[in-house]
Amino acid sequence: MTAPVVRPDAALEPLVASIAAGDRDAFQQLFRALAPKVRGYLLRLGADAGAADEVTQETMLTIWRKAASYDPALASVSTWVFTIARNRRIDRLRRARRPEFDPNDPALQPDPVEGADVAHEAAETGQLLRAAIQELPKEQLRLLELAFFHDKSHRAIADETKLPLGTVKSRIRLALVRLRDRLKDETR
Amino acid sequence: MIPLAHLSDDVLVDYAAGTLPQATALLVATHLALCPDCREEVRLLEEVGGAMLAERVPEAPADHLLADCLALLDRPVTVQEQPARYCADGVYPRPLLDVLPADGLTWHKRAKGLAEIRLDTGPGPVAKLLKISAGQPMPRHTHSGREFTLVLDGSFSDDYGVYRRGDVAVATEGEIHQPIAGAERDCICLAVVEGSLSLTGPIGRVLNLFVRF
Ligand SMILES: [Zn+2]
């Protein structure tokens, strides 16, 4: 198999739009771009090769079925795919649906009305974040990665790294503050 | 009304990463339904997850996986999504309704002024709905793990302040506390305990028989 082309995220959006219209070529392109990443994510979380393949397949099939519901204003394509892979993995582990809020729930407390200047294209946010993540101090990046890509809560990370729980929390918080500040600077 | 007492960063990170036990994830999802601020935070955290996914070292699957997928694209979907169920009086947001019985709530009396419904969240920490009579103190207790209490209706107060709909009180390991329901009406909350709970004091020892987390 040839090395997958790493695409800037915004370039993936038209692919998802084509997939929503039933375009199988677009699906193959998105598969080549993202299935290896999804599989890498699952392997990193400790799945064996068989389970990783299975959940990767389920993730890609979910993308095919739900492409029409993808909203570029809410999440970049990588983020959307990350949430699908995360949820498929949880489904498989627990055989239960991941609890999530429903945007159509009448009991939902609605978002405050935002000014047009605050609205920010999600794909762009994704790009900015990716750049900002690369600039994080190594230690912060490592803890953030542990939080996202190991099946470990903050407490388990503290046990594993032998760092006090408070230190893990404050370093991860520091990393998030940094990322948030970068986004604010860039969007201002 | 926007909640004043939120979930901390580390809980939201674990929720976005998908590493929380199901009971705790249920509580977070319920808070998110009631809190635009934390929803926005989780959206950002999921973008962090997406950005990290994009940076992952690719692990190419075997060539046949794509062919397998393509062969399955036109297969009709067998699992139908459950139709959404919403709460008529708006007390219980959707994530909770999904684990509540459809044919009405049966409250089990646990002690004077305290009734509960245990929710099905699989193995691990336990999630319960609690109904505390107006003005009634909850039994004094402590726990070996974190305890989260999210107000759905009415209010309660503890040493830190007053909690209303959407607010979450987090008690850390070993902390002894005794929330008191507001006098205005019965207080309904969602409680999750990660670890075992024990009641303290002479009344507590008796109540331990009733309130088993
Ligand atoms: Zn909140």
Side-chain angles (χ1 to χ4, degrees):
Chain A
M1 199 184 210
T2 49
V5 185
V6 181
R7 295 159 166 283
D9 221 59
L12 297 176
E13 283 176 24
L15 284 182
V16 178
S18 303
I19 292 170
D23 181 339
R24 300 169 78 101
D25 284 342
F27 178 79
Q28 295 199 40
Q29 285 185 54
L30 194 76
F31 187 100
R32 294 210 170 89
L34 289 180
K37 303 278 188 185
V38 170
R39 193 162 174 275
Y41 159 62
L42 295 162
L43 289 171
R44 179 76 188 270
L45 279 161
D48 59 42
D53 282 351
E54 220 172 287
V55 178
T56 301
Q57 180 170 318
E58 279 169 24
T59 301
M60 297 313 295
L61 289 173
T62 304
I63 290 169
W64 172 258
R65 285 199 300 268
K66 298 214 164 147
S69 72
Y70 169 65
D71 180 354
L74 285 180
S76 64
V77 174
S78 308
T79 298
W80 182 60
V81 172
F82 162 72
T83 57
I84 292 172
R86 173 196 68 192
N87 293 1
R88 289 282 83 86
R89 180 179 161 274
I90 294 173
D91 289 350
R92 191 193 150 90
L93 288 178
R94 297 197 187 129
R95 293 177 196 171
R97 222 157 57 95
R98 168 180 163 89
E100 288 200 321
F101 70 88
D102 174 351
N104 300 316
D105 187 348
L108 192 88
Q109 174 75 35
D111 288 318
V113 186
E114 284 192 2
D117 54 325
V118 189
H120 197 240
E121 198 54 34
E124 203 180 316
T125 310
Q127 302 277 33
L128 289 173
L129 265 176
R130 227 172 295 166
I133 284 171
Q134 292 311 308
E135 289 163 20
L136 284 176
K138 275 213 166 60
E139 177 69 5
Q140 286 176 15
L141 184 64
R142 187 174 74 103
L143 290 174
L144 210 51
E145 272 198 350
L146 272 177
F148 273 93
F149 292 127
H150 278 249
D151 191 4
K152 288 188 188 336
S153 66
H154 277 58
R155 180 171 298 272
I157 292 170
D159 290 345
E160 188 178 274
T161 57
K162 302 279 187 286
L163 290 170
L165 180 60
T167 307
V168 170
K169 281 186 184 177
S170 63
R171 288 195 190 158
I172 289 181
R173 184 169 306 133
L174 219 59
L176 293 175
V177 167
R178 227 175 239 256
L179 293 177
R180 245 174 256 140
D181 286 352
R182 274 297 304 271
L183 282 186
K184 273 195 207 118
D185 291 348
E186 298 281 348
T187 51
R188 216 167 261 148
Chain B
M1 195 180 67
I2 309 266
L4 296 173
H6 300 277
L7 289 159
S8 59
D9 265 352
D10 58 309
V11 178
L12 295 180
V13 168
D14 291 345
Y15 177 80
T19 57
L20 284 179
Q22 198 178 347
T24 318
L26 173 68
L27 183 131
V28 174
T30 307
H31 177 71
L32 293 184
L34 301 175
C35 182
D37 292 356
C38 288
R39 278 208 297 274
E40 184 56 29
E41 190 63 29
V42 166
R43 208 170 71 79
L44 175 76
L45 290 170
E46 287 177 338
E47 282 290 342
V48 172
M52 288 199 156
L53 180 81
E55 295 298 319
R56 276 261 60 81
V57 180
E59 298 272 1
D63 285 337
H64 69 82
L65 201 71
L66 175 55
D68 291 352
C69 273
L70 289 171
L72 289 170
L73 291 188
D74 299 323
R75 186 192 56 171
V77 185
T78 45
V79 185
Q80 283 301 320
E81 295 254 327
Q82 290 285 324
R85 205 151 58 82
Y86 297 121
C87 180
D89 58 7
V91 170
Y92 304 103
R94 171 87 193 275
L96 271 179
L97 277 194
D98 289 340
V99 292
L100 284 172
D103 51 355
L105 302 183
T106 313
W107 291 94
H108 302 280
K109 196 163 184 236
R110 282 307 182 204
K112 182 170 175 287
L114 176 67
E116 66 170 42
I117 297 170
R118 196 178 162 131
L119 305 176
D120 179 15
T121 51
V126 170
K128 283 177 174 184
L129 287 179
L130 300 179
K131 179 148 78 177
I132 310 136
S133 302
Q136 185 81 23
M138 278 206 243
R140 218 170 119 83
H141 63 279
T142 183
H143 19 80
S144 63
R146 293 182 294 190
E147 179 198 58
F148 300 88
T149 315
L150 165 74
V151 179
L152 293 163
D153 198 23
S155 69
F156 71 78
S157 55
D158 65 12
D159 294 347
Y160 300 101
V162 183
Y163 299 81
R164 297 188 177 83
R165 179 167 168 83
D167 287 332
V168 185
V170 184
T172 51
E173 202 169 314
E175 197 176 322
I176 297 171
H177 68 150
Q178 184 173 37
I180 298 172
E184 71 280 13
R185 61 175 177 281
D186 291 355
C187 175
I188 297 178
C189 32
L190 170 64
V192 171
V193 176
E194 297 180 333
S196 62
L197 173 135
S198 54
L199 300 166
T200 57
I203 299 177
R205 247 170 257 130
V206 176
L207 281 174
N208 252 332
L209 301 168
F210 299 100
V211 197
R212 264 192 308 263
F213 262 95

